[in-house]
Amino acid sequence: DAGVIQSPRHEVTEMGQEVTLRCKPISGHNSLFWYRQTMMRGLELLIYFNNNVPIDDSGMPEDRFSAKMPNASFSTLKIQPSEPRDSAVYFCASSFQRDTQNQETQYFGPGTRLLVL
Amino acid sequence: AQSVSQHNHHVILSEAASLELGCNYSYGGTVNLFWYVQYPGQHLQLLLKYFSGDPLVKGIKGFEAEFIKSKFSFNLRKPSVQWSDTAEYFCAVNAVQGNDYKLSFGAGTTVTVRA
């Protein structure tokens, strides 16, 4: 299995530009998570989807952030407009949720290192 | 919501020394427990996990962890570390309740192993 795939691996952009991060979860997984990692705040869960439906987006910082999962094999995290404080590593993770009492292990992608100048 | 505490922010030790990293969580119900490792510049990789059964869990690369329910702890151990164990280690907890599938992470412990 190829694991969780994220693109791009690195992104450098200027303040005010739109940034789109992409994620392909592990085939067969039905839960997908977006995390942000910074030195100051550590790992933060931004949003998670189950069966392509957003379940909890309470971690999304503000309206500039949006995430979609149009199908089981693809998700995007968009920042518009981007700001320097959005600079971080963004990880996507996926897992298989068997039922309400069985959430399997989350597997992480390689991350996207975002730098907003 | 559950919280996760990792006692040590930075641990420095020599090769062949033993390592123990503390992790405590605050949720009183059923939990799934994880330790992840993040090598410099890389993504999080699963070291080991506990869902149920034997509270002593063995993971990859010689790591093990013990779940002590009465202490709400899931400490990570390795009897003899190597230089290649230099990394950041994250404890994570998933409270098994209803539809809550959030994985709460500790702040991480940076481990530096000196050759």
Side-chain angles (χ1 to χ4, degrees):
Chain A
D1 196 318
V4 176
I5 299 172
Q6 290 186 247
S7 65
R9 295 292 306 275
H10 301 273
E11 177 81 28
V12 180
T13 191
E14 292 185 340
M15 182 174 63
Q17 296 298 307
E18 178 180 293
V19 175
T20 300
L21 312 181
R22 298 173 178 79
C23 175
K24 177 179 168 54
I26 292 173
S27 177
H29 283 185
N30 57 5
S31 292
L32 184 140
F33 306 79
W34 281 101
Y35 291 89
R36 179 172 66 177
Q37 185 180 39
T38 61
M39 289 289 291
M40 292 297 295
R41 301 172 70 92
L43 269 164
E44 303 173 275
L45 176 65
L46 300 178
I47 185 171
Y48 75 86
F49 295 84
N50 181 248
N51 293 322
N52 312 338
V53 176
I55 303 300
D56 187 341
D57 64 355
S58 60
M60 296 286 262
E62 44 196 276
D63 292 344
R64 298 184 296 107
F65 285 68
S66 62
K68 293 182 180 180
M69 192 165 186
N71 57 62
S73 59
F74 184 64
S75 176
T76 59
L77 177 67
K78 186 175 292 186
I79 308 172
Q80 167 64 19
S82 58
E83 296 182 2
R85 60 189 168 127
D86 301 330
S87 298
V89 181
Y90 291 82
F91 289 105
C92 176
S94 72
S95 70
F96 178 69
Q97 177 188 322
R98 196 176 306 279
D99 54 45
T100 57
Q101 296 298 318
N102 285 281
Q103 173 70 289
E104 299 289 338
T105 303
Q106 291 183 27
Y107 293 92
F108 285 74
T112 295
R113 295 183 178 275
L114 173 65
L115 177 62
V116 183
L117 302 174
Chain B
Q2 65 274 19
S3 67
V4 182
S5 298
Q6 291 185 239
H7 313 304
N8 309 99
H9 180 65
H10 193 179
V11 172
I12 302 172
L13 60 169
S14 300
E15 277 192 311
S18 65
L19 173 70
E20 181 161 359
L21 303 181
C23 173
N24 286 89
Y25 61 93
S26 65
Y27 182 66
T30 302
V31 292
N32 297 327
L33 299 155
F34 307 82
W35 276 98
Y36 285 87
V37 61
Q38 187 176 27
Y39 298 104
Q42 297 190 25
H43 63 288
L44 277 80
Q45 301 172 43
L46 182 69
L47 264 183
L48 48 78
K49 62 186 178 184
Y50 172 82
F51 282 12
S52 64
D54 188 344
L56 184 61
V57 179
K58 294 194 182 298
I60 61 172
K61 304 187 181 188
F63 285 90
E64 65 179 28
E66 184 174 13
F67 171 47
I68 302 179
K69 188 174 182 179
S70 61
K71 295 184 178 180
F72 301 91
S73 70
F74 190 55
N75 292 354
L76 180 71
R77 297 193 292 254
K78 184 170 183 177
S80 177
V81 295
Q82 301 172 312
W83 176 81
S84 57
D85 293 323
T86 295
E88 190 159 14
Y89 293 80
F90 293 92
C91 180
V93 174
N94 164 232
V96 182
Q97 55 176 11
N99 288 319
D100 186 353
Y101 300 102
K102 292 183 182 180
L103 195 60
S104 297
F105 282 88
T109 298
T110 300
V111 174
T112 300
V113 180
R114 291 177 172 162

